[in-house]
C-alpha cells in the first residue's frame, strides 16, 4: 500500500501542477457511511490523520493521501473490504459536490457531462493520462460509445474506481433516475475476493483486468432529456461558484498553495514547522524560503495567516469551543491562541463569540 501511495503522488511535480486532492464533501460522506456501519468517527479520523472540522466545509480540499488513508481505515473499522462500492452506491454525486448540483441544473445528459468534464477537478484533482488534462473522455468505436476514466495509475487506489463507477452506474441509481444507459463496466484492476458484490451493486457485466477503466454505453449517444425545466438562474449561480472554486484550486499550483495544502492535515498536531513541510514537498528549507519570498511571503507569515483564516471560520460557525479552536489551529496552549487571536482581530476569542450571538 505504501509503495502504491508513493507511486501515486511521487511524480506530482512532473505530472500535475498541484498536490492531488479531493473535495471534503466526499470525505464527509465516507465518514457518515462508515458511522452507519458501526465505525467510530473519532477513531476513523485519528487513523487517517484527519482533523474532523476540515470536512465541515463540503467545498474544502483534502490531500489525496489523507482520503486514501480514510478509505482504508473505513474498510478496516467496518470490516467491509467492499466499502468503496457501498460508498458509491449510497450517495448521489449531488449529495457530495457542487459539480453534481450543476449537472442536475442542465437540460440534457450531454450538457451535464460537459459540466462534469469541465469541473471534474473540483471532485478529485489528480494526474491524468489524457493530453488535454481531462479525467473523463468519450471514445467511440464504430457504433459503441465509451466513457473512459483517464486517471493515471488507477490500480494504486482501485477503491476510487469502484466508488466512482458505482456512483455513476449502480443499479440503485439507475432505478432512482429512470435512466438505464450503461451496458458494461470495465476496470483495470484484478477481481477482488468480493467480486460478487460487483454483481449485486451494478447488476451489469463487469470485466476485470480490462485495458481501461470505462463504462460502455448502450447507444452511441447520451440519453436526451435530463431536466425538462432547467433553471438558468440556478445554473448561473452554481456556475459562478464552481468557477470561483476552480480559481482557488488553480492557486494551489503556487508554492504558497502547496505549502498550505501540506500544512492543513498536520496543523492540529503541532508539527506544521518549516522543516517538516519542506521535507514533505521534497525541498530544502532554503529552497522553500526562496520560493515563498519570490511570492511575497514567508513561511511564518503564511502559517500565521492560515491560522487566522481558520480561526475565524471555526469560531464564526460556532461549531467549536475556544479550546477546540486552539487545538485545530495548532496551538498547544489556549492562552497563546488567545493572544494571537487578539493580535489578529483586536478582540479575545470569547469577545468575538459574544459579538456573533
Amino acid at each position: 500500500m505504501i509503495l502504491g501511495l508513493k507511486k501515486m503522488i511521487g511524480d506530482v511535480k512532473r505530472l500535475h501542477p498541484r498536490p492531488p486532492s479531493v473535495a471534503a464533501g466526499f470525505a464527509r460522506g465516507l465518514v457518515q457511511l462508515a458511522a452507519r456501519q458501526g465505525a467510530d468517527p473519532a477513531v476513523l479520523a485519528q487513523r487517517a490523520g484527519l482533523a474532523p472540522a476540515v470536512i465541515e466545509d463540503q467545498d474544502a480540499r483534502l490531500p489525496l493521501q489523507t482520503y486514501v488513508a480514510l478509505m482504508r481505515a473505513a474498510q478496516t473499522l467496518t470490516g467491509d473490504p467492499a466499502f468503496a462500492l457501498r460508498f458509491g452506491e449510497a450517495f448521489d454525486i449531488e449529495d457530495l459536490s457542487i459539480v453534481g448540483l450543476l449537472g442536475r441544473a442542465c437540460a440534457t445528459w450531454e450538457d451535464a457531462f460537459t459540466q462534469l468534464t469541465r469541473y471534474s477537478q473540483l471532485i478529485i484533482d489528480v494526474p491524468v493520462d489524457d493530453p488535454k488534462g481531462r479525467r473523463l473522455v468519450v471514445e467511440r468505436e464504430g457504433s459503441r460509445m465509451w466513457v473512459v476514466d483517464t486517471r493515471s495509475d488507477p490500480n494504486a487506489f482501485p477503491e476510487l474506481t469502484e466508488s466512482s463507477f458505482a456512483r455513476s452506474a449502480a443499479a440503485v441509481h439507475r432505478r432512482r433516475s429512470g435512466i438505464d444507459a450503461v451496458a458494461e463496466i470495465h476496470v483495470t484492476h484484478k477481481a477482488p475476493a468480493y467480486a460478487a458484490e460487483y454483481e449485486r451493486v451494478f447488476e451489469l457485466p463487469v470485466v476485470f483486468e480490462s485495458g481501461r477503466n470505462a463504462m460502455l454505453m448502450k447507444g452511441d449517444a447520451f440519453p436526451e432529456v435530463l431536466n425538462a425545466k432547467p433553471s438558468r438562474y440556478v445554473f448561473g449561480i452554481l456556475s459562478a461558484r464552481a468557477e470561483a472554486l476552480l480559481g482557488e484550486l488553480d492557486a494551489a499550483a503556487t508554492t504558497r498553495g502547496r505549502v498550505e495544502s501540506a500544512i492543513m492535515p498536520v496543523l492540529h498536531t503541532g508539527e506544521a514547522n518549516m522543516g517538516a513541510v519542506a521535507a514533505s514537498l521534497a525541498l530544502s528549507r532554503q529552497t522553500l524560503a526562496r520560493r515563498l519570498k519570490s511570492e511575497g511571503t514567508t513561511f511564518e507569515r503564511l502559517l500565521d495567516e492560515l491560522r487566522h483564516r481558520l480561526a475565524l471560520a471555526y469560531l464564526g460557525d460556532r461549531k467549536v469551543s475556544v479550546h477546540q479552536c486552539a487545538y485545530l489551529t495548532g496551538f498547544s496552549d489556549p492562552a497563546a491562541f488567545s493572544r494571537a487571536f487578539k493580535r489578529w482581530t483586536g478582540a479575545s476569542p470569547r469577545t468575538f463569540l459574544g459579538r456573533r450571538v
Side-chain angles (χ1 to χ4, degrees):
M1 181 185 78
I2 293 175
L3 288 177
L5 283 178
K6 287 184 177 179
K7 182 172 176 54
M8 183 161 45
I9 65 177
D11 291 330
V12 167
K13 289 192 291 184
R14 180 174 63 84
L15 295 174
H16 199 58
R18 294 175 295 268
S21 64
V22 180
F26 285 80
R28 185 168 67 182
L30 192 158
V31 170
Q32 290 172 351
L33 179 62
R36 291 204 294 265
Q37 291 187 207
D40 184 330
V43 176
L44 184 62
Q46 183 181 35
R47 289 199 180 184
L50 173 70
V54 172
I55 62 175
E56 290 298 322
D57 178 3
Q58 186 152 305
D59 295 326
R61 306 302 300 180
L62 198 70
L64 178 61
Q65 59 265 40
T66 302
Y67 184 71
V68 173
L70 191 64
M71 178 68 76
R72 301 276 163 80
Q75 291 169 332
T76 299
L77 292 175
T78 62
D80 182 6
F83 182 83
L85 283 173
R86 280 185 246 288
F87 178 43
E89 183 182 34
F91 291 91
D92 287 313
I93 184 66
E94 56 263 37
D95 297 328
L96 307 173
S97 169
I98 188 175
V99 181
L101 294 173
L102 191 56
R104 286 296 179 187
C106 293
T108 68
W109 283 96
E110 186 169 3
D111 289 343
F113 182 78
T114 298
Q115 299 306 317
L116 177 61
T117 301
R118 172 168 177 72
Y119 297 112
S120 64
Q121 293 166 327
L122 296 183
I123 297 174
I124 177 168
D125 189 32
V126 291
V128 297
D129 292 336
D130 179 64
K132 295 183 179 179
R134 299 167 300 179
R135 182 183 166 198
L136 296 175
V137 298
V138 172
E139 294 181 0
R140 286 185 166 83
E141 295 177 349
S143 62
R144 303 205 301 177
M145 185 178 85
W146 298 83
V147 176
V148 182
D149 185 340
T150 71
R151 181 166 56 98
S152 301
D153 196 22
N155 292 357
F157 185 34
E159 293 93 335
L160 185 57
T161 304
E162 292 178 335
S163 61
S164 297
F165 281 5
R167 193 161 291 114
S168 300
V172 65
H173 295 311
R174 297 202 307 275
R175 285 192 285 270
R176 187 180 301 136
S177 67
I179 301 296
D180 188 11
V182 180
E184 292 180 7
I185 302 293
H186 284 237
V187 297
T188 55
H189 55 267
K190 294 181 180 180
Y194 51 86
E197 275 302 291
Y198 279 76
E199 298 177 14
R200 184 194 66 77
V201 169
F202 290 107
E203 296 181 8
L204 292 169
V206 177
V207 178
F208 294 98
E209 298 185 74
S210 174
R212 53 190 159 188
N213 288 300
M215 295 182 293
L216 175 63
M217 310 304 286
K218 287 186 173 179
D220 62 355
F222 288 104
E224 191 60 32
V225 178
L226 170 62
N227 187 350
K229 295 182 179 180
S231 170
R232 300 308 300 176
Y233 175 70
V234 170
F235 182 85
I237 292 175
L238 292 172
S239 293
R241 175 61 176 159
E243 284 294 331
L245 291 171
L246 206 57
E248 292 176 9
L249 191 59
D250 286 339
T254 64
T255 300
R256 181 189 185 106
R258 296 180 66 204
V259 170
E260 289 190 351
S261 294
I263 288 175
M264 282 294 293
V266 299
L267 182 59
H268 67 290
T269 68
E271 297 178 4
N273 59 76
M274 188 172 183
V277 170
S280 73
L281 299 178
L283 299 173
S284 67
R285 288 173 59 98
Q286 293 79 6
T287 300
L288 179 56
R290 185 171 63 252
R291 292 186 181 181
L292 288 174
K293 183 178 180 180
S294 71
E295 294 179 9
T297 190
T298 64
F299 182 85
E300 292 73 18
R301 186 188 309 163
L302 184 155
L303 177 60
D304 191 64
E305 291 172 352
L306 180 60
R307 282 171 157 171
H308 181 189
R309 294 202 311 271
L310 290 173
L312 291 177
Y314 291 144
L315 293 181
D317 288 342
R318 301 186 64 82
K319 293 181 179 179
V320 299
S321 68
V322 172
H323 279 207
Q324 288 170 328
C325 189
Y327 165 74
L328 291 171
T329 51
F331 288 88
S332 58
D333 179 9
F337 168 70
S338 294
R339 288 194 295 273
F341 194 88
K342 191 166 186 177
R343 172 170 55 81
W344 294 328
T345 67
S348 70
R350 297 191 187 284
T351 300
F352 176 82
L353 284 172
R355 293 172 180 171
R356 306 284 294 183
V357 175

